[in-house]
Amino acid sequence: MEELIAKRYIKALKTSTDTKSMGNITIVFKALAEAFKNTKFIQIMNSAEVSDEQKLEILLAAVKPAKSESINTLIKLLVENSRINIIPALAEGMRKDAAHTSKTYSGVVYSDTDIDAKVMKDLSSGLSKKFDSKISLEFIKDDFDGIKVNVEDLGIEINFSKSRINSQIIEHIAKAI
């Protein structure tokens, strides 16, 4: 539900700001969303004892260095409509929107064996060409028996499991006999 509400705010924000400003707003909201990982901050924002004016003061003080009227207005709207808790969803939605706009994505490669940097570069450039985007990949050693590539924002998940390939080879040989 939060994501749907956040999308409406993002859509309205995109129509009223340019791409550069939207990038700056995304950075500010990403930093603001980090505060929501702190349990004390969440307690303050959810507390009935803290007035909306005090919550607004806290949030405006946090974004003051950005010196952006668009950000201040959005914060005021969120507080007025009691939607402070969607700030992390807003930040994530803005990040995804910025990735789609710039066609720049990041993904993860999982494997139980180390993968050479050249192979990672080749995977990245191959996917970039295939999807007409700039895709950067990060390697994470995992207990996955094979290789799994995941670019979440594009909805791509490719995996090659050694055990699955072996079973398919055995099936193919059995059918051939």
Side-chain angles (χ1 to χ4, degrees):
M1 182 71 169
E2 287 181 350
E3 290 82 16
L4 295 174
I5 296 168
K7 281 183 182 180
R8 287 189 290 176
Y9 280 100
I10 294 168
K11 185 177 179 182
L13 197 58
K14 280 181 69 174
T15 59
S16 65
T17 59
D18 62 3
T19 306
K20 185 179 179 186
S21 296
M22 194 64 192
N24 293 335
I25 293 169
T26 301
I27 292 167
V28 171
F29 271 84
K30 181 181 177 188
L32 197 55
E34 287 295 316
F36 281 84
K37 292 179 181 176
N38 183 322
T39 55
K40 288 187 180 190
F41 182 80
I42 293 172
Q43 287 174 346
I44 292 169
M45 290 296 132
N46 291 334
S47 176
E49 296 173 8
V50 179
S51 70
D52 284 347
E53 291 79 26
Q54 290 171 319
K55 292 174 186 177
L56 179 62
E57 256 181 60
I58 292 168
L59 292 170
L60 288 177
V63 299
K64 188 176 182 178
K67 297 178 185 172
S68 170
E69 196 55 43
S70 298
I71 294 172
N72 293 346
T73 304
L74 181 57
I75 298 283
K76 288 174 186 173
L77 267 172
L78 292 172
V79 171
E80 271 179 33
N81 295 318
S82 300
R83 296 218 166 116
I84 296 170
N85 291 330
I86 71 162
I87 289 176
L90 262 172
E92 181 62 14
M94 288 178 188
R95 185 197 62 77
K96 285 182 179 180
D97 186 68
H100 287 299
T101 302
S102 66
K103 289 188 165 190
T104 304
Y105 305 96
S106 60
V108 182
V109 177
Y110 301 98
S111 181
D112 60 348
T113 57
D114 290 329
I115 298 177
D116 186 52
K118 184 183 180 334
V119 173
M120 291 292 292
K121 185 178 177 186
D122 290 344
L123 276 172
S124 177
S125 65
L127 285 172
S128 294
K129 285 179 188 173
K130 174 89 173 153
F131 293 97
D132 190 30
S133 303
K134 184 178 185 295
I135 300 174
S136 60
L137 296 173
E138 173 190 354
F139 174 72
I140 295 179
K141 192 160 182 143
D142 194 294
D143 58 354
F144 184 74
D145 185 30
I147 296 175
K148 181 174 17 176
V149 180
N150 188 1
V151 184
E152 189 175 324
D153 290 344
L154 274 175
I156 301 170
E157 184 175 310
I158 306 166
N159 65 53
F160 301 99
S161 168
K162 292 176 188 174
S163 60
R164 191 179 87 209
I165 291 171
N166 286 340
S167 67
Q168 287 175 342
I169 290 172
I170 292 169
E171 285 177 32
H172 184 69
I173 292 171
K175 286 179 185 178
I177 296 176

